[in-house]
Amino acid sequence: MVYHVKGEFGTATDDFFSTGRILERSTYKHVSLPKLDRLISAVQSGHQRQQFFYAGLDEDSEEAYEAACEGLIRPMDDKTPPILYSIKCIDFQPPTFTLEIHAINEYCTYLAKLIHEIGLELKTNAICKQIRRIRHGYFTLDHALLQKHWTAEHILNNIDFCKPSVKRENLGRIRLMRRRKIENNLLEA
């Protein structure tokens, strides 16, 4: 899934969101885009090493190389901790910033806590102001319906609009990747 997560430096709350009770205020003038980029690169690097572990692959093996060539390396089950595939800053206008995060097994509180921890690593505080999912699998915001369009006519039109995104080839590729992982696990056992 892909998210745009908006944060704001200089404030800490009890729940990591802007709606929480303010616990602390701090300065943020020393935070720059290069410092933020360096930090999120380090976070992304740590998570990239984890994706091989949770997929049951040795990151130095040819099998891991082949899996990486096929696309995103997915964990063997859905019970793994969140894995961040990519993080980049797409907007930086202190005190606010927006990160684009590609992740799996994530949840809102995790993303808000990530923003908080980024603030702490940059020797300030940060809160999460907004989380917006912009893609879920093959579906983007273009495929979404506004609540005012939740009528039978709009839903049927949207089903027709979404059909090309759910092609058999796409679903077959996902099933093939999962089948390979299961077969590899059986061979190792």
Side-chain angles (χ1 to χ4, degrees):
M1 289 181 243
V2 182
Y3 295 90
H4 283 176
V5 182
K6 187 179 233 178
E8 183 177 293
F9 291 120
T11 308
T13 63
D14 60 350
D15 65 356
F16 312 122
F17 290 96
S18 58
T19 55
R21 187 173 54 87
I22 294 176
L23 300 176
E24 184 179 0
R25 294 193 186 276
S26 58
T27 62
Y28 56 86
K29 302 281 186 208
H30 61 281
V31 177
S32 64
L33 181 57
K35 287 180 182 178
L36 177 60
D37 282 340
R38 258 192 315 275
L39 176 62
I40 61 177
S41 291
V43 170
Q44 178 179 325
S45 175
H47 279 268
Q48 283 176 335
R49 277 184 245 113
Q50 286 181 343
Q51 64 185 331
F52 290 103
F53 174 76
Y54 290 116
L57 300 170
D58 177 17
E59 66 181 277
D60 295 326
S61 69
E62 187 167 332
E63 184 183 15
Y65 173 78
E66 289 171 4
C69 289
E70 288 180 9
L72 293 178
I73 298 171
R74 301 212 177 260
M76 291 191 305
D77 61 39
D78 294 335
K79 294 176 176 53
T80 64
I83 297 174
L84 307 178
Y85 289 109
S86 171
I87 311 171
K88 66 180 175 182
C89 183
I90 58 172
D91 184 43
F92 184 77
Q93 298 187 16
T96 62
F97 61 98
T98 304
L99 302 179
E100 183 174 284
I101 300 174
H102 297 243
I104 190 167
N105 296 341
E106 76 298 321
Y107 43 93
C108 289
T109 307
Y110 176 80
L111 296 173
K113 188 174 181 187
L114 176 67
I115 296 296
H116 171 74
E117 289 172 356
I118 286 171
L120 293 178
E121 286 293 323
L122 292 171
K123 297 180 178 28
T124 185
N125 292 303
I127 55 171
C128 183
K129 304 247 335 159
Q130 180 185 47
I131 298 175
R132 184 176 190 210
R133 184 181 298 167
I134 62 167
R135 192 175 82 217
H136 184 104
Y138 294 107
F139 299 100
T140 65
L141 292 177
D142 295 335
H143 297 97
L145 284 177
L146 298 174
Q147 189 171 2
K148 67 182 182 181
H149 294 135
W150 290 359
T151 63
E153 179 185 351
H154 284 100
I155 291 171
L156 291 173
N157 289 339
N158 200 332
I159 289 171
D160 288 336
F161 178 68
C162 292
K163 277 184 183 177
S165 297
V166 190
K167 293 180 181 176
R168 284 192 172 273
E169 304 92 53
N170 294 339
L171 297 176
R173 190 177 71 100
I174 292 169
R175 287 188 192 114
L176 177 64
M177 288 171 51
R178 290 204 174 154
R179 188 177 322 126
R180 282 185 188 162
K181 286 180 186 176
I182 291 169
E183 288 170 357
N184 289 336
N185 291 335
L186 291 175
L187 291 174
E188 291 174 4

